[in-house]
Every structure is written in structure tokens, then in C-alpha cells.
Amino acid sequence: MAQKRRNPDISARAISLAAFAIVIAALYLAKDFLIPLALAILFSFLLTPIVKRLEHWGLPRVLSVLTVTFFAFALLVGAGWIVTQQMVDLATRLPEYEKNLTAKVQTLRGTSRTLGKATETLQAISKEITESQGDTRNQPVQPGATSAAEPVPVKVVAPPPSPLTLLWNAIGALLGPLGTVAAVAILVVFILLEREGLRDRFLRLVGKGRLHVTTDALDDASHRVSRYLLMQFVVNATYGIPVGVGLYLIGVPNAFMWGLLATVLRYLPYLGPWMAAAMPILLSFTGEGWSQPLYTIGLFLVLELISNNVMEPWLYGASTGITSVAVLLAAGFWTWLWGLPGLLLSTPLTVLLVVMGKHLPQMSIFSILLGDEEPLQPKTAFYQRLLAGDMEEAAELLKTNLEKKPLNVVYDEIVLPVLRMIELDFYRRRIDENKRRRLEGMVEEIVEQISRPEGESPVAQVEPAPDGQTAVLCVAARDEADGVAARMMTQLLKNEGVNVRALSSDALASELIDRVEEHNARVVCISALPPAALSHARYLCKRLRERYPALRLIIGLWTARTNLERLKERVSCAPTDKTVASLTDALREVRSSLATEEPVRDQPKSPRII
């Protein structure tokens, strides 16, 4: 019996899932080592620009690194000491606020009579239940019934700890954070001293055979993370300083400490601002009256609105390159994996993953899922909306792109490629004739909607000039797709004030040739979507050239990806004819032709061919 072959895709996915699980397990098990390392790399990103500036001023590297590191960690330790002193002062003064808190609670109870009555009712019910249970337990035991002895509660009281034990517990509690700070400081010093050597080692290890890709990834990552950290520091400082000043003016105790904590806590995504506002708001209730809590709540609301809607969009911009949903998911994942340090590191680590996914195909999943770049190209998204039958969303997509780009560019980059996709899918038998016609009709309807204001007549319905002459005639080479492109060309020319007309794609070649003479056109633009329309464009070009030797022809081989000169030879055009691949190039050729060419009626004609 032949052995069944394994599906290589399934095997690759299984290997990828296993590798992902191993990486997650390693990150969790080695967190005691990885957290200080990640914090050190984060601080090195933040301090590297300052070290480079000092070196640029002529200070030796060792002295620059030691100076910057000393002041940075001294600032952190000093801030921690100040916060600790303020917390101790707050703890000693809490009994002074008991009177105000009691008064406020009494006020709330007095104003909420319904709540008070409900509380009394619940207490009465609870008392009755307790008494009934007590009566049941006190009933005498009936003859013949067994009575179990009630258990006697036993309480184990531990002896009070000795002063030496308390001291040892305090030292043990401090050793962990202090050890982490010391490890991070030492790692930061060595990373800053050996930053070029570490970078070169990483390039040799990872960038073998793709040095330029790895170099671009490192530069992009360092720029994004450094900019993010700097902008976040500015945003947090512009938030924490007004918090401290505002709370001081309001009269909240220890205002400086709350301002400093607000600056630090905003480094924690989503959770930090709530933590920064909770304690000052609760402490404001210890003051006399209700004005202090209201002012404190109002202060935080105003600062949050300004920070979230003004400062962050202005300063952050596109510094991180990740979406808000990715920030939220990353915060939850890294907090689950590493706790509070993971929450602090979540955004920088996610930025690094997105950058690697952007430059390394093997990790592109991170760039697609977490990055802020559009997941689909506009032309692909437009085609997807059409396939789903969602004309409104497809039209909205074009209108959104029109806010950034001119109409001819939107047609060249989105609509014409989609018409080509429709044609290719039809010839590859992915869609049938009915769906093809429906898709092309949807494109035509959307083009008419975005091309003119509501109530205005279609641009294709243009009357010829008084002398009977049409400046430009747009002709479809073969089918409806060519006709839609011809009407887009007509629309663009009409917007420039050119007397233009588009002929129906249902007309026969002989009818189209007669219409050229009827309108006495100066320039004829043949609209064709290769490759299917090439033969029809060649036939039409040949017939027009035989009938009107001096006529100026512009052959639009829309979205053509090969050499246009070779395509021009295949179409058998005259040397004076112009072959273009975009509507923008066609517009330029039409302007040039109208500036130099004479009307067809003044040109010699060959005998009419029936």
C-alpha cells in the first residue's frame, strides 16, 4: 500500500505553529533575564541621540556614556525618592482628612433617602434571617434523634515577627527592584559603549546575503523607536506638568508627586492615565466642600482631551507605524506574558516586530496584522468591493482617493487596472459573461457618479462646435471595457474644456469610420485594453489610416506593461501615431495634437473603402 504523501503546506504551518509556541514559552520562562535586557535596549534607544551629541561636541565616548547614564538613572532614582517621601507624608496626614470624609459621607447619606431606606430594609431582613437561624439551633433535641456536637472554632495565631525578620523582609522586597535597576544600568552602559560592534555582529549573524535589507530594518527600527520614545516623553511632560500645577492651584495635597506620577504612568498604554487620575481624584474628596473634587475631575478631563486629540496626533504622526488596535492587543499580550514591565515595553516591542515584518518576508505577518499601512492596494480593494456588489463602498473608495490625487491619476492607478483585472478574470474563466458585464456596468456607473456634480448632464453628451467640428473623438476598439475607458478619456478632456465626443462600443468599424468624417474630428483616440483588444485596435487603426492618411491617431493601450514601441509595431501604426499606456499620457498627447494639427476637412483623403 502506497504511503500517503503529506501536504507540504500543512507541514509548514505545523512547523510554524510549533516554533511560535516554543518562542512564547521561551519568552515566559526567561522573563527574568529578558525583561532587564529589553529595558536596557529601550533606554539605549532613548539615550543614544544624547550620547552622539556629546561625542559630536568632542567628549570621549566613555565619558559621554557614563555622564548620560549617570544623570538618567540619577533622575529616575531621585524621582522615586521624591515620590516615596511624598507617599510617607501623605500617609501621616491621612487621619487629618477623616473629618472631611465623614462629613461628605453623611451628606451623601442625607441626600439619598431612597438608598438609606433600602439599606435599612436589607439590614432588617438580614437580622430576621439571623434570628430565625438562631431559634432553630436552640430548639431541644427530640427523643430518638441524634445530636452532633457543634464544632469549636480554632484560630491559629502566629507569633509577631521579630525586628530582624521585618528588616530582612524589607531588604528582600527592595533587592528585587534594585537588582533590576542595577542590571539595566550596567547593560545600558555596555550597549552604548559597544553599539557599533553589536550592530555589526547582528548584521553578520542575521544579514548574511541580505545586508542592505537588514541595514534598512535596523535604521528604520531605531528611527521609529527613538522618535516614539522622544515624542512620548514630550507628550507625558506636557500632561504631567499641568497636572501638578493645576492640582497645586486647586489645593490637592502633594500636587508635585501626582504630577510626576502622571508623567511616568502615561508610559503605560491605556492603564496609565486611569492610574494617574484615580488617586488625586479620591484625595480631592478630603477637602472641604465639593468644589475641589469637581475642579480635579474637570482638570483631568480637559487635559486628556487636549493630550489625546491635539498633542498626540500632532507629535506622534506616523512615528510608530502601528494601528491603535495593534497597540491594544500588544498591551494585553505583553502584560499577560511579562506583567507590568511587559505593558511598559509593549509598544516599542510591537514597533520592532512591525519593522521586521516590513523588511523580512518570513515575518510579514506582523507587518500585515499590526502595521498601519493599507492591507490592500486601492485597485485591489476597489475590485473586491465590486466583486462583493458594494457599489457605495467602491464609490466612496474612489472619492477618498480623489481627496489626495487628481482624477486622471485615480483613473490610471485604480479604475483602468480594475478593468484589466475584469478582462483577465473573464478570459481565465474565473467569471462568466454576465458577471463581466455587470462588473463593467458598475464601473461605468461609478465613473459617471464621481465625474460630475449631481444634476449635471453626463459629460459624454457634448454637442459639437457651431462649425460642426469635433476636436477629439474617442473610439472604443472592441467591447464595453474599452468603451468605459473611452468615456473616462472623454470626461477628462471635457473637464479641460475640449470639444470631445465618445462613440459607442456597439458600433461597427465602418460606422465608426463614417462618424469620424461626420464629426470632422481633428484627433481620434482609440481606446483598447490589451491583450484582447490589440487585434481590434490594429484593424481600426489600419482602416482609419487608409481613409484619412493625415489624421492624428492616439492609440491608448491602457495599462500595457511591455515596451510601447513593440506594441506600436504590432498594431501597425504609422510613425506619426502616438501610443500611450495611461490617460495622463493621452491627455498630454491630445494637448500637443490640438496645438499643431489641422482639421480633417482640410486634409487629403484616400478613396472611401466600403
Side-chain angles (χ1 to χ4, degrees):
M1 185 175 180
Q3 186 179 4
K4 293 183 179 180
R5 294 183 179 179
R6 295 182 179 178
N7 191 332
D9 293 337
I10 296 178
S11 300
R13 292 175 183 175
I15 294 174
S16 299
L17 289 175
F20 181 75
I22 292 173
V23 170
I24 298 299
L27 289 174
Y28 179 77
L29 296 175
K31 62 181 180 180
D32 293 336
F33 168 75
L34 293 177
I35 288 176
L37 179 61
L39 288 172
I41 294 175
L42 182 67
F43 275 106
S44 65
F45 275 121
L46 183 61
L47 300 179
T48 295
I50 306 176
V51 172
K52 287 184 176 180
R53 177 62 61 182
L54 293 180
E55 291 179 0
H56 180 71
W57 289 343
L59 205 64
R61 168 167 294 190
V62 175
L63 188 57
S64 301
V65 170
L66 293 178
T67 302
V68 171
T69 306
F70 173 78
F71 278 105
F73 282 90
L75 181 63
L76 292 177
V77 173
W81 175 258
I82 293 174
V83 169
T84 303
Q85 291 296 107
Q86 293 283 312
M87 292 293 290
V88 172
D89 178 69
L90 177 63
T92 57
R93 295 171 57 183
L94 279 178
E96 302 176 7
Y97 307 135
E98 182 179 358
K99 181 179 179 181
N100 293 334
L101 286 174
T102 304
K104 285 186 171 57
V105 172
Q106 293 296 333
T107 303
L108 290 175
R109 288 181 177 178
T111 55
S112 181
R113 296 179 180 178
T114 304
L115 181 61
K117 291 180 180 179
T119 303
E120 292 176 359
T121 303
L122 291 175
Q123 290 177 350
I125 294 173
S126 177
K127 183 178 180 181
E128 291 180 0
I129 294 174
T130 304
E131 291 177 353
S132 63
Q133 291 177 350
D135 294 341
T136 303
R137 287 194 298 266
N138 295 329
Q139 290 180 357
V141 180
Q142 299 295 331
T146 59
S147 176
E150 295 184 0
V152 178
V154 177
K155 185 177 181 181
V156 179
V157 180
S162 63
L164 186 60
T165 304
L166 292 176
L167 179 62
W168 179 257
N169 292 336
I171 293 175
L174 291 175
L175 281 179
L178 290 178
T180 301
V181 171
V184 170
I186 294 172
L187 286 172
V188 167
V189 170
F190 281 97
I191 289 175
L192 292 176
L193 288 174
E194 301 290 338
R195 59 180 185 271
E196 286 86 0
L198 293 174
R199 180 197 61 194
D200 295 342
R201 294 177 188 276
F202 181 79
L203 289 175
R204 182 177 178 181
L205 180 65
V206 180
K208 187 175 182 180
R210 46 189 178 184
L211 185 62
H212 64 286
V213 175
T214 311
T215 302
D216 292 341
L218 285 177
D219 292 341
D220 193 7
S222 61
H223 173 73
R224 289 197 188 189
V225 174
S226 299
R227 176 175 170 80
Y228 166 74
L229 294 174
L230 178 61
M231 293 302 101
Q232 191 175 39
F233 174 76
V234 174
V235 170
N236 294 358
T238 56
Y239 177 84
I241 293 174
V243 165
V245 174
L247 293 178
Y248 176 78
L249 296 176
I250 293 172
V252 177
N254 307 96
F256 177 76
M257 178 185 68
W258 303 125
L260 183 59
L261 283 178
T263 303
V264 175
L265 290 174
R266 279 189 67 88
Y267 279 100
L268 302 177
Y270 302 105
L271 184 61
W274 291 96
M275 295 172 61
M279 285 303 297
I281 291 176
L282 291 176
L283 195 59
S284 65
F285 284 92
T286 61
E288 297 181 359
W290 292 96
S291 59
Q292 196 174 90
L294 294 177
Y295 287 150
T296 304
I297 295 173
L299 172 67
F300 279 99
L301 287 177
V302 171
L303 291 178
E304 280 294 331
L305 290 174
I306 296 175
S307 179
N308 294 334
N309 298 294
V310 179
M311 297 300 297
E312 290 185 2
W314 175 44
L315 291 175
Y316 283 162
S319 59
T320 59
I322 57 179
T323 63
S324 56
V325 176
V327 174
L328 181 61
L329 294 177
F333 173 78
W334 289 106
T335 304
W336 166 75
L337 196 65
W338 285 353
L340 195 61
L343 181 60
L344 177 64
L345 295 166
S346 60
T347 300
L349 290 175
T350 307
V351 171
L352 293 177
L353 289 176
V354 170
V355 171
M356 287 190 293
K358 180 181 177 182
H359 295 278
L360 301 177
Q362 299 86 347
M363 305 184 69
S364 60
I365 183 174
F366 296 111
S367 178
I368 295 173
L369 295 179
L370 306 176
D372 61 353
E373 296 181 356
E374 292 294 334
L376 294 176
Q377 294 182 351
K379 60 182 180 182
T380 307
F382 183 65
Y383 191 30
Q384 186 275 329
R385 294 342 183 239
L386 295 177
L387 290 173
D390 195 344
M391 281 189 57
E392 293 184 0
E393 194 169 345
E396 188 64 29
L397 189 147
L398 287 188
K399 292 177 182 178
T400 302
N401 281 271
L402 281 173
E403 297 175 357
K404 309 172 186 176
K405 303 175 182 178
L407 183 60
N408 59 302
V409 176
V410 172
Y411 282 167
D412 283 333
E413 295 181 354
I414 301 178
V415 182
L416 284 179
V418 167
L419 289 174
R420 181 183 176 91
M421 292 179 190
I422 296 173
E423 293 291 299
L424 291 177
D425 283 350
F426 172 73
Y427 286 106
R428 293 168 181 169
R429 298 183 180 181
R430 295 174 180 173
I431 59 176
D432 55 19
E433 177 67 24
N434 292 332
K435 190 166 187 178
R436 172 196 181 190
R437 291 184 177 275
R438 184 166 65 252
L439 292 173
E440 291 173 349
M442 293 168 65
V443 173
E444 182 178 9
E445 185 174 346
I446 292 173
V447 166
E448 290 184 357
Q449 289 177 3
I450 68 172
S451 65
R452 54 188 170 87
E454 295 183 2
E456 184 180 339
S457 60
V459 296
Q461 305 296 328
V462 180
E463 296 296 332
D467 60 354
Q469 177 187 343
T470 299
V472 181
L473 200 63
C474 295
V475 180
R478 182 176 177 271
D479 55 17
E480 183 60 26
D482 302 329
V484 174
R487 281 186 281 278
M488 288 192 291
M489 183 68 188
T490 302
Q491 175 193 119
L492 294 173
L493 291 171
K494 174 62 171 58
N495 292 341
E496 294 191 359
V498 177
N499 190 4
V500 61
R501 179 181 290 270
L503 300 184
S504 173
S505 58
D506 297 331
L508 300 175
S510 58
E511 296 176 353
L512 294 177
I513 294 172
D514 291 339
R515 297 290 292 277
V516 173
E517 182 177 1
E518 176 185 341
H519 292 287
N520 199 18
R522 299 175 61 183
V523 179
V524 173
C525 181
I526 301 176
S527 174
L529 276 169
L534 280 179
S535 59
H536 296 270
R538 179 170 58 248
Y539 176 75
L540 192 58
C541 181
K542 181 179 179 181
R543 293 289 302 273
L544 286 171
R545 184 56 60 208
E546 290 175 350
R547 181 78 173 270
Y548 310 107
L551 180 65
R552 182 63 181 266
L553 289 178
I554 299 175
I555 300 92
L557 304 177
W558 314 122
T559 69
R561 300 175 182 176
T562 57
N563 191 298
L564 286 178
E565 292 299 325
R566 295 179 59 184
L567 288 178
K568 184 176 179 180
E569 295 176 359
R570 290 181 59 186
V571 179
S572 302
C573 298
T576 57
D577 297 335
K578 298 295 182 181
T579 306
V580 295
S582 66
L583 292 171
T584 302
D585 294 339
L587 288 175
R588 184 177 62 251
E589 294 296 338
V590 167
R591 298 190 198 102
S592 177
S593 300
L594 293 179
T596 58
E597 294 296 324
E598 295 294 330
V600 174
R601 62 182 178 181
D602 297 331
Q603 300 171 353
K605 302 175 184 178
S606 60
R608 181 173 179 178
I609 301 175
I610 304 299

